[in-house]
């Protein structure tokens, strides 16, 4: 079944144009990207399968093209479109963070990090390098680890900070387990990096622990 075969009031495109995108369910929005279903499943059923398979919209948007291959009916074109939507969202949020101080829009920082690393199956450590006005210079995944831990080398963070002329940094890493609660090891690492970066006059403004559903801020917890 294709979208044009649905009753007019059930077609996502017509519904969006008449009532706005906020009126559509997640599956309906995904169906607009997919356009057609597969044998035995309508496009809306296929869209719902994707949401179920990846644990909701956030997980789906963070899926790599290789992850999408296991879904029957998703050919190269559809996988590319899904990946393009995610990249557009990332670039939009990144551009906004580059144009004004990150603390003018802390929610955007958290949204950006959830999109970047919230659903990764392994731990990664990301550094957001900021200029003197606390605007984003660049966000980089500096270290990658296993399901439960990542080795972080302060020397590499210091070197990259100097290379980019950063005045401050935001640190972030994900917890693939799903719980964004900071550990004692996270606290110790933050203190170590803070002391090391202070020698080159770079401030650690926050450390954010990211899961698919939430982001916990060290600064908001009073842990810095």
């Amino acid at each position: 079944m294709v979208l044009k075969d649905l009753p007019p009031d059930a077609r996502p495109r017509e519904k969006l144009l008449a009532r706005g995108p906020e009126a559509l369910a997640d599956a309906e929005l995904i169906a607009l990207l997919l356009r057609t279903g597969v044998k035995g499943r309508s496009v809306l059923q296929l869209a719902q399968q994707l949401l179920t398979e990846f644990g909701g919209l956030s997980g789906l948007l963070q899926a790599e093209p290789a992850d999408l291959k296991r879904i029957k009916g998703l050919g190269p074109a559809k996988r590319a479109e899904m990946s393009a939507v995610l990249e557009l969202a990332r670039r939009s949020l990144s551009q906004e963070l580059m144009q004004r101080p990150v603390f003018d829009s802390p929610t955007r920082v958290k949204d950006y990090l959830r999109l970047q690393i919230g659903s990764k199956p392994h731990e990664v450590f990301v550094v957001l390098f900021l200029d003197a006005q606390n605007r984003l210079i660049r966000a980089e995944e500096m270290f990658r680890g296993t399901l439960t831990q990542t080795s972080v080398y302060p020397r590499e963070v210091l070197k990259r900070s100097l290379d980019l002329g950063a005045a401050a940094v935001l640190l972030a890493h994900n917890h693939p387990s799903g719980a964004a609660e900071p550990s004692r090891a996270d606290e110790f690492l933050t203190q170590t990096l803070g002391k090391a970066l202070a020698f080159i006059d770079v401030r650690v403004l926050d450390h954010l622990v990211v899961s698919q559903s939430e982001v916990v801020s060290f600064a908001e917890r009073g842990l810095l």
Side-chain angles (χ1 to χ4, degrees):
M1 181 182 293
V2 295
L3 291 180
K4 65 182 179 62
D5 295 327
L6 296 170
D9 59 351
R11 296 174 190 169
R13 183 178 62 185
E14 283 73 8
K15 186 176 176 181
L16 183 149
L17 293 173
R19 298 166 54 188
E22 65 278 0
L24 273 64
D26 291 347
E28 292 175 309
L29 291 169
I30 298 300
L32 278 174
L33 287 175
L34 299 176
R35 294 189 302 279
T36 59
V38 296
K39 187 176 181 180
R41 280 176 295 166
S42 71
V43 65
L44 286 170
Q45 289 171 327
L46 179 58
Q48 187 57 57
Q49 179 192 355
L50 284 167
L51 291 170
T52 301
E53 182 77 19
F54 291 99
L57 189 59
S58 176
L60 174 59
L61 289 178
Q62 293 177 71
E64 300 290 339
D67 299 325
L68 296 170
K69 277 187 175 181
R70 67 175 184 260
I71 306 298
K72 183 180 178 182
L74 286 187
K78 289 180 180 178
R79 295 198 302 269
E81 287 173 2
M82 298 294 295
S83 298
V85 168
L86 171 59
E87 187 59 27
L88 285 171
R90 286 173 174 161
R91 292 186 187 189
S92 174
L93 289 168
S94 178
Q95 186 176 49
E96 184 173 345
L97 297 177
M98 288 179 175
Q99 290 174 344
R100 60 182 182 176
V102 294
F103 291 117
D104 282 359
S105 53
T107 300
R108 296 297 190 195
V109 176
K110 293 180 178 180
D111 289 343
Y112 174 77
L113 289 169
R114 272 200 302 268
L115 277 178
Q116 288 284 77
I117 64 174
S119 290
K120 286 187 178 292
H122 49 265
E123 272 204 15
V124 295
F125 190 87
V126 172
V127 181
L128 279 67
F129 298 95
L130 310 177
D131 65 16
Q133 286 74 46
N134 290 337
R135 294 174 304 198
L136 181 66
I137 300 172
R138 187 173 299 174
E140 294 189 357
E141 179 185 309
M142 297 204 65
F143 308 104
R144 178 175 296 199
T146 64
L147 176 64
T148 57
Q149 66 180 16
T150 300
S151 296
V152 176
Y153 302 96
R155 179 178 63 182
E156 297 301 318
V157 180
L158 267 66
K159 180 178 183 299
R160 196 62 180 139
S161 297
L162 289 170
D163 289 344
L164 295 172
V169 296
L170 291 176
L171 311 174
H173 76 281
N174 64 317
H175 279 181
S177 65
E181 193 64 28
S183 66
R184 293 297 297 273
D186 295 336
E187 294 182 32
F188 178 75
L189 173 62
T190 306
Q191 294 169 2
T192 300
L193 284 170
K195 291 176 182 177
L197 287 163
F199 282 111
I200 58 171
D201 294 322
V202 174
R203 296 173 296 145
V204 175
L205 300 183
D206 204 351
H207 187 165
L208 300 128
V209 185
V210 184
S211 73
Q212 184 173 323
S213 59
E214 65 176 332
V215 179
V216 172
S217 161
F218 271 51
E220 291 174 0
R221 288 280 186 93
L223 297 175
L224 285 181

